[in-house]
Amino acid sequence: MTAEFDEDRFNMAIRKFLKHVGVTSQREIENLVRSGAVEGGKLKLRMTLSAEGTALKHVVEETIAL
């Protein structure tokens, strides 16, 4: 990080990104479930976060009941 790093601006940019990810992901999951494409009463979800040009690979998995 450089001396010009603005932590507040960085924090707001991350929050904006995560809000966009959360809202659009929820819509996609809801559309999938409503389409009838999910069987068995459970949906196993996996979200992978990566950052281009870095070694970042953060995986979150969760099974949700329908």
Side-chain angles (χ1 to χ4, degrees):
M1 298 282 171
T2 67
E4 299 174 18
F5 176 68
D6 183 337
E7 192 165 336
D8 288 334
R9 190 181 78 206
F10 176 63
N11 189 317
M12 291 302 294
I14 290 173
R15 287 174 180 257
K16 183 179 178 182
F17 171 75
L18 291 173
K19 182 176 180 180
H20 180 74
V21 169
V23 169
T24 57
S25 297
Q26 181 174 348
R27 285 185 194 140
E28 291 297 319
I29 294 166
E30 289 172 347
N31 289 338
L32 177 70
V33 171
R34 288 186 180 119
S35 75
V38 180
E39 298 177 3
K42 291 183 181 179
L43 182 61
K44 184 172 181 178
L45 299 169
R46 178 182 303 117
M47 179 71 69
T48 303
L49 174 66
S50 61
E52 190 172 327
T54 73
L56 176 63
K57 183 178 180 187
H58 177 71
V59 179
V60 178
E61 294 182 330
E62 186 79 26
T63 300
I64 59 172
L66 304 179

